[in-house]
Amino acid sequence: MKRICAYIMAQLGENMFKVMWRAKHDASNTTLTSKWFNGFCTIEDEEIASDAMSQENGNYYMLPEAITAENAEDLLKDFYWGVAGSWNGVNDHLRGQKLKLFMHSKTKHFYEEAYQHNHGSLPYNQQYMKASLEGAPEVEFVALSNVPENYLCLTPKNNILSLWNQRTSDENFLVKESKTSHYDVDFLANMFYGEQYLSINKEMLCVSRYYTAVTSTEGKNPKNEGWYVKDGSKYVLSTDETPQGGTTYYKF
């Protein structure tokens, strides 16, 4: 029984891991893990909508194109160091700390492919795997399969919080006789979890995204899909529950 309970708890943890960036809290939905809490991207969405995160504020940069094996090295370096005339790069105070650069695992692969293509003949280039940004050893790559593609999050480790309540007896689980079957048991978990950035100030955080237009909208719910619409120069979450004619929806 202990092994079964451990397996079920591990499955709960795996489901949370999968949605920890894009989850959006909905108190009316007690079934889906993705509706249990607000993920990091959802937190950012609210700050972007309020203009607290913007390119002008130095904590949000829109990538000019999707990340590929051909451009990954240039895009990551431009995000960090800046682009003449359009982006000053991340804040000097942020750059002076030990940082984690969260990205999709495919992005790290693209960076390594681009680096080998561009610098394969350099005498000091002795290995394929890259653990940090070239020229910025303080920027450690954190490549995860649950991070959205075409997305980068740069922050110190102590600024990005993924927290459980494990200090009180409120958080526990029970195994009880099933109310619906004489042959089954019910696994009941009472758990408290949340995510947050301690600060979204440019001295502690900078994120980057690339939005692509949705090509097939028929039969979809833009709000539930987590699609965006363009509001001036920024992208905000759509509230449409059915696709609206003449509206272009975006995703990242």
Side-chain angles (χ1 to χ4, degrees):
M1 179 61 74
K2 288 183 178 180
R3 290 186 178 181
I4 295 175
C5 290
Y7 172 78
I8 295 174
M9 289 297 291
Q11 291 300 110
L12 288 173
E14 178 67 19
N15 289 340
M16 292 176 60
F17 173 79
K18 291 177 181 178
V19 301
M20 69 183 298
W21 292 87
R22 291 188 180 274
K24 184 176 178 61
H25 178 61
D26 181 354
S28 66
N29 190 319
T30 59
T31 303
L32 297 177
T33 307
S34 60
K35 303 299 182 182
W36 183 15
F37 57 93
N38 281 338
F40 295 114
C41 289
T42 302
I43 295 169
E44 294 164 16
D45 286 334
E46 295 176 357
E47 303 296 349
I48 292 170
S50 70
D51 292 323
M53 292 184 70
S54 66
Q55 190 155 313
E56 292 71 23
N57 288 341
N59 53 5
Y60 173 55
Y61 171 62
M62 284 197 292
L63 292 167
E65 55 186 333
I67 301 172
T68 68
E70 288 71 37
N71 64 18
E73 184 187 9
D74 290 336
L75 289 181
L76 267 64
K77 289 170 69 175
D78 289 348
F79 166 63
Y80 189 72
W81 296 109
V83 181
S86 60
W87 169 245
N88 293 325
V90 303
N91 180 263
D92 288 341
H93 182 84
L94 179 62
R95 195 180 295 138
Q97 304 176 66
K98 289 192 66 174
L99 301 170
K100 305 289 186 181
L101 181 56
F102 293 90
M103 63 183 70
H104 191 275
S105 51
K106 190 183 295 183
T107 299
K108 182 175 183 291
H109 170 68
F110 285 158
Y111 180 86
E112 291 165 342
E113 286 284 298
Y115 191 89
Q116 288 303 310
H117 176 77
N118 296 331
H119 312 293
S121 61
L122 291 176
Y124 64 81
N125 186 19
Q126 300 296 314
Q127 62 180 5
Y128 175 82
M129 302 292 289
K130 296 297 175 185
S132 61
L133 186 65
E134 180 71 7
E138 70 278 2
V139 179
E140 179 186 355
F141 291 160
V142 182
L144 301 170
S145 61
N146 65 343
V147 176
E149 296 183 35
N150 294 310
Y151 169 83
L152 302 168
C153 175
L154 182 70
T155 189
K157 180 180 179 179
N158 62 359
N159 190 53
I160 184 168
L161 305 180
S162 174
L163 301 173
W164 294 91
N165 171 27
Q166 295 180 327
R167 295 194 174 188
T168 70
S169 60
D170 295 332
E171 186 167 281
N172 54 36
F173 68 88
L174 297 173
V175 178
K176 303 182 68 174
E177 293 180 0
S178 175
K179 295 183 178 180
T180 58
S181 171
H182 295 297
Y183 302 99
D184 297 331
V185 293
D186 290 336
F187 184 91
L188 308 175
N190 191 43
M191 306 167 73
F192 298 84
Y193 176 78
E195 298 177 1
Q196 189 56 272
Y197 293 113
L198 279 179
S199 172
I200 62 165
N201 188 282
K202 65 183 179 181
E203 297 181 348
M204 294 298 291
L205 175 71
C206 191
V207 303
S208 187
R209 301 177 175 186
Y210 177 72
Y211 298 85
T212 58
V214 177
T215 57
S216 178
T217 63
E218 185 177 354
K220 300 294 182 65
N221 182 321
K223 180 180 178 180
N224 288 346
E225 293 290 335
W227 292 344
Y228 298 80
V229 292
K230 200 165 185 180
D231 180 14
S233 61
K234 64 186 178 183
Y235 296 82
V236 296
L237 284 170
S238 173
T239 58
D240 296 337
E241 296 187 351
T242 58
Q244 302 299 304
T247 299
T248 301
Y249 298 96
Y250 299 86
K251 63 182 180 179
F252 83 93

